[in-house]
Amino acid sequence: MKKTFSKGGVHPAANKIASRDILLQPLPTLACVPLAQHIGAPAIAIVCKGDKVTRGEQIARAASFVSAPLHAPISGTVQGVDNVLMPNGKPSQAIIIKATDEEHEADTISREKYWAELPVAKIPSHLPADEIRRMISEAGIVGLGGATFPSHVKLSLKPEQKPEILIINGCECEPYLMCDDALMCKWPRMIVEGVALMMQAGGIPRAVISLEDNKPEAAAAIASALGSRNDITLQILRTKYPQGGEKQLIEAVTGRRIASGALPISVGAVVHNVATAFAVWQAIATGQPLIERVVTVTGDIPAEERTNYLAAVGTPFSEFPFTLPDEAKVIVGGPMMGRTAVNLDAPVTKGTSGLVILRETRRRPVQACIRCGACVDACPMGLEPYLLSAYGRLRMFDDAREADVADCLECGACSYNCPSARPLLDYIRIAKQRSRK
């Protein structure tokens, strides 16, 4: 039997209905680049209103070690550093860049040439580990699986830390999303070479690229790219949500469980996403920083509109070519962990994996808890979601902290499994946020 994690998990309908094609989303003529696009300190703008910038130029520096710089996704003139509305409707400081028609046309031509010539790019030989980490940091690369943790930090290990395995997450267990699947099918060699670079950067002796068994095309592409390598292997896991959770994936691959509050390195593991591996290769082989990423657009839209796009950071959601149905909602990310967008003029960020457009359906009425334990059965962290939710609803935040609410992945498996349609995760999120010291 194929391996998976031991506690909890659910099996929502996959709905992987998008094409595996990756199309170039046209560059915007007005790009809004938020300063806070990663875990850690927001970047600090190094440009001012009226400055001219070119595509790929650094426009914000990292504020600390756990931070990441930002680069211009388009050439143009800085309109200012102002508040813009994010998908949740809240304001966030962003660098706003406007391109002229001439700048937009020149960027479009050079970008199309870049992607057409990508397969011939080669990695420089004999790069030392600290140089690879520096290049990853300067390229602004963060985890592209959703957490957006600055990637160089995970690879900057202390002498006493002994990494044994690099696990590359290609599970993409969220329903609907196919950006990683498409990336593995299209550029598997680049992903494998990116994995090798990360191994070198972190002094990690071996790596495993992990996929769920519902991605046979991607698995075949990665296997072919691996060839006869024995330091990087492919591991096919049984499909179960949330397999892509860091702790769940480590257990599925190694059989080791991470203690509450501990980091993956405590069991000798480092985890990165396949898209992050591709971005590492891209930065080192071509010199392009993280200024665009693959975004899945799918859901209750015409079949010909369900596909993946290479979209520049700062591109407004409203510029993607999808038909918004009546009474529909747009979820940023997947339906299990994503959030509904209330502002479609919000920009793509480094962490935007997809836009899932779903027709609004009438929710089942919330009923009293029937003490069935379905939420406990579903929780991959072995928590008691009914209790944590009650603590959040009753504002008992100290009690929530004592009950390990910080360990919650916010995966939504509890709410999905609840026969009484209780908004368990909503209250758990409140408890988690308010119980932080």
Side-chain angles (χ1 to χ4, degrees):
M1 179 181 290
K2 294 188 179 80
K3 298 164 79 174
T4 187
F5 56 97
S6 61
K7 285 187 179 180
V10 292
H11 296 86
N15 285 315
K16 306 283 189 177
I17 54 179
S19 163
R20 286 187 178 82
D21 292 338
I22 300 178
L23 309 179
L24 283 181
Q25 169 66 19
L27 294 172
T29 54
L30 184 71
C32 297
V33 185
L35 297 175
Q37 295 190 46
H38 50 263
I39 288 177
I44 299 172
I46 58 174
V47 294
C48 303
K49 183 177 181 179
D51 287 351
K52 284 281 189 180
V53 297
T54 57
R55 179 172 155 85
E57 176 185 343
Q58 188 176 131
I59 56 175
R61 64 176 175 84
S64 66
F65 180 61
V66 186
S67 185
L70 298 170
H71 303 78
I74 61 172
S75 302
T77 303
V78 176
Q79 303 294 291
V81 182
D82 298 310
N83 280 332
V84 299
L85 293 181
M86 299 304 286
N88 60 7
K90 294 181 179 179
S92 180
Q93 283 255 297
I95 300 169
I96 302 169
I97 306 169
K98 184 174 178 58
T100 63
D101 291 342
E102 292 78 13
E103 289 167 329
H104 183 261
E105 182 179 3
D107 275 352
T108 298
I109 292 171
S110 64
R111 181 189 186 219
E112 290 174 350
K113 182 181 178 184
Y114 169 85
W115 286 106
E117 295 177 350
L118 189 71
V120 302
K122 300 294 182 184
I123 297 170
S125 59
H126 309 301
L127 285 173
D130 57 353
E131 178 67 6
I132 297 173
R133 292 194 299 269
R134 182 192 65 78
M135 296 173 77
I136 291 172
S137 176
E138 291 187 355
I141 297 173
V142 300
L144 297 179
T148 64
F149 194 85
S151 299
H152 68 278
V153 178
K154 284 187 176 183
L155 296 170
S156 301
L157 301 170
K158 297 176 182 178
E160 65 270 18
Q161 294 173 324
K162 303 296 182 184
E164 299 175 25
I165 184 171
L166 172 64
I167 300 175
I168 301 299
N169 183 0
C171 292
E172 198 167 44
C173 58
E174 268 275 6
Y176 287 96
L177 299 184
M178 293 186 66
C179 50
D180 289 348
D181 192 344
L183 195 64
M184 289 185 283
C185 289
K186 190 169 182 66
W187 290 302
R189 175 180 66 83
M190 291 75 164
I191 290 171
V192 170
E193 291 182 4
V195 173
L197 285 166
M198 288 195 283
M199 292 169 64
Q200 188 176 344
I204 308 171
R206 68 185 183 100
V208 173
I209 302 176
S210 302
L211 283 72
E212 291 190 317
D213 58 10
N214 61 355
K215 300 174 183 63
E217 295 87 353
I222 293 293
S224 177
L226 286 172
S228 60
R229 295 191 72 124
N230 55 21
D231 58 338
I232 306 174
T233 57
L234 177 65
Q235 173 75 64
I236 306 300
L237 303 172
R238 183 156 57 91
T239 298
K240 185 166 69 164
Y241 179 87
Q243 190 104 248
E246 195 171 57
K247 293 184 177 182
Q248 285 65 45
L249 185 58
I250 289 170
E251 185 194 357
V253 173
T254 70
R256 302 171 186 172
R257 289 187 62 84
I258 301 173
S260 175
L263 297 174
I265 194 61
S266 67
V267 294
V270 177
V271 181
H272 282 279
N273 182 263
V274 289
T276 309
F278 177 76
V280 167
W281 176 89
Q282 197 178 357
I284 294 173
T286 75
Q288 177 164 298
L290 184 53
I291 54 176
E292 54 190 332
R293 63 155 298 151
V294 181
V295 178
T296 300
V297 177
T298 187
D300 295 330
I301 55 177
E304 62 273 15
E305 295 180 357
R306 302 175 199 145
T307 192
N308 306 283
Y309 294 93
L310 269 167
V313 170
T315 302
F317 296 164
S318 57
E319 293 192 9
F320 285 92
F322 61 82
T323 304
L324 191 64
D326 293 335
E327 297 184 357
K329 61 181 178 182
V330 177
I331 299 171
V332 183
M336 296 296 286
M337 294 187 72
R339 304 290 183 94
T340 300
V342 298
N343 173 35
L344 292 187
D345 289 323
V348 168
T349 65
K350 295 177 182 181
T352 306
S353 56
L355 300 177
V356 180
I357 298 94
L358 298 178
R359 289 189 178 88
E360 287 277 17
T361 56
R362 190 178 298 277
R363 293 185 63 170
R364 291 183 294 129
V366 175
Q367 298 176 325
C369 175
I370 59 173
R371 306 294 191 270
C372 66
C375 61
V376 177
D377 292 341
C379 181
M381 293 302 297
L383 302 174
E384 298 176 287
Y386 70 91
L387 181 62
L388 297 175
S389 178
Y391 286 152
R393 180 170 53 85
L394 298 173
R395 305 176 64 84
M396 298 169 65
F397 304 129
D398 290 340
D399 296 270
R401 187 187 304 114
E402 291 299 317
D404 296 325
V405 70
D407 286 345
C408 174
L409 303 177
E410 301 183 33
C411 68
C414 55
S415 294
Y416 177 85
N417 226 34
C418 179
S420 296
R422 298 185 66 77
L424 299 171
L425 180 57
D426 295 344
Y427 286 117
I428 292 173
R429 279 175 170 156
I430 293 170
K432 186 176 177 181
Q433 182 179 25
R434 298 293 297 275
S435 65
R436 291 187 180 120
K437 292 183 180 179

